[in-house]
Coordinates of all heavy atoms in Angstrom, one line a residue:
M509 N 25.3 -0.8 -0.1 CA 23.9 -0.6 0.2 C 23.0 -1.9 0.3 O 22.1 -1.9 1.2 CB 23.3 0.3 -0.9 CG 23.9 1.7 -0.9 SD 23.3 2.7 0.5 CE 24.2 4.3 0.2
F717 N 16.1 14.7 0.0 CA 17.4 15.4 0.3 C 17.0 16.8 0.6 O 16.4 17.5 -0.2 CB 18.3 15.3 -0.9 CG 18.6 13.8 -1.3 CD1 17.8 13.1 -2.1 CD2 19.8 13.2 -0.7 CE1 18.1 11.7 -2.4 CE2 20.1 11.9 -1.0 CZ 19.2 11.2 -1.8
Y721 N 22.5 22.2 0.3 CA 23.8 21.6 0.4 C 23.7 20.0 0.7 O 24.4 19.5 1.4 CB 24.6 22.2 1.5 CG 25.0 23.6 1.1 CD1 24.2 24.7 1.4 CD2 26.2 23.8 0.4 CE1 24.6 26.0 0.9 CE2 26.6 25.1 -0.1 CZ 25.8 26.2 0.2 OH 26.1 27.4 -0.3
C722 N 22.7 19.5 0.0 CA 22.5 18.0 0.2 C 22.2 17.4 -1.2 O 21.0 17.0 -1.5 CB 21.3 17.8 1.1 SG 21.1 16.1 1.7
P723 N 23.2 17.3 -2.0 CA 23.0 16.8 -3.4 C 22.7 15.3 -3.3 O 23.1 14.6 -2.3 CB 24.4 16.9 -4.0 CG 25.3 17.0 -2.9 CD 24.6 17.7 -1.8
E724 N 21.9 14.8 -4.3 CA 21.5 13.4 -4.3 C 22.7 12.5 -4.2 O 22.6 11.3 -3.7 CB 20.7 13.1 -5.5 CG 20.1 11.7 -5.6 CD 21.1 10.9 -6.4 OE1 21.7 11.3 -7.4 OE2 21.2 9.7 -6.1
A725 N 23.8 12.9 -4.8 CA 25.0 12.0 -4.7 C 25.5 11.7 -3.3 O 26.1 10.6 -3.1 CB 26.2 12.7 -5.5
L726 N 25.2 12.6 -2.4 CA 25.5 12.3 -1.0 C 24.8 11.0 -0.5 O 25.3 10.2 0.2 CB 25.0 13.5 -0.1 CG 25.2 13.4 1.4 CD1 26.7 13.4 1.7 CD2 24.6 14.7 2.1
G727 N 23.6 10.8 -1.0 CA 22.8 9.6 -0.7 C 23.3 8.4 -1.4 O 23.2 7.3 -1.0
D728 N 23.8 8.6 -2.6 CA 24.3 7.5 -3.4 C 25.4 6.8 -2.8 O 25.5 5.6 -2.9 CB 24.7 8.0 -4.8 CG 23.6 8.0 -5.8 OD1 22.5 7.5 -5.6 OD2 23.9 8.6 -6.9
Y729 N 26.2 7.5 -2.1 CA 27.5 7.0 -1.6 C 27.8 7.0 -0.2 O 28.4 6.1 0.3 CB 28.7 7.8 -2.3 CG 28.6 7.8 -3.8 CD1 28.5 9.0 -4.5 CD2 28.7 6.6 -4.5 CE1 28.4 9.0 -5.9 CE2 28.7 6.6 -5.9 CZ 28.5 7.8 -6.6 OH 28.4 7.8 -8.0
F730 N 27.3 8.0 0.6 CA 28.0 8.3 1.8 C 27.2 8.5 3.1 O 27.5 8.1 4.2 CB 28.9 9.5 1.6 CG 30.0 9.6 2.6 CD1 31.2 8.8 2.5 CD2 30.0 10.6 3.6 CE1 32.2 9.0 3.4 CE2 31.0 10.7 4.5 CZ 32.1 9.9 4.5
A731 N 26.0 9.1 2.9 CA 25.3 9.6 4.1 C 24.9 8.5 5.0 O 24.9 8.6 6.2 CB 24.1 10.5 3.7
G732 N 24.3 7.4 4.5 CA 23.9 6.3 5.2 C 22.5 5.7 4.8 O 22.4 4.5 4.7
P733 N 21.5 6.5 4.5 CA 20.2 6.0 4.0 C 20.5 5.2 2.7 O 21.4 5.5 2.0 CB 19.4 7.2 3.8 CG 19.9 8.2 4.8 CD 21.4 7.9 4.8

Side-chain angles (χ1 to χ4, degrees):
M509 293 290 180
F717 299 85
Y721 289 89
C722 194
E724 182 270 324
L726 180 63
D728 270 352
Y729 302 117
F730 200 75

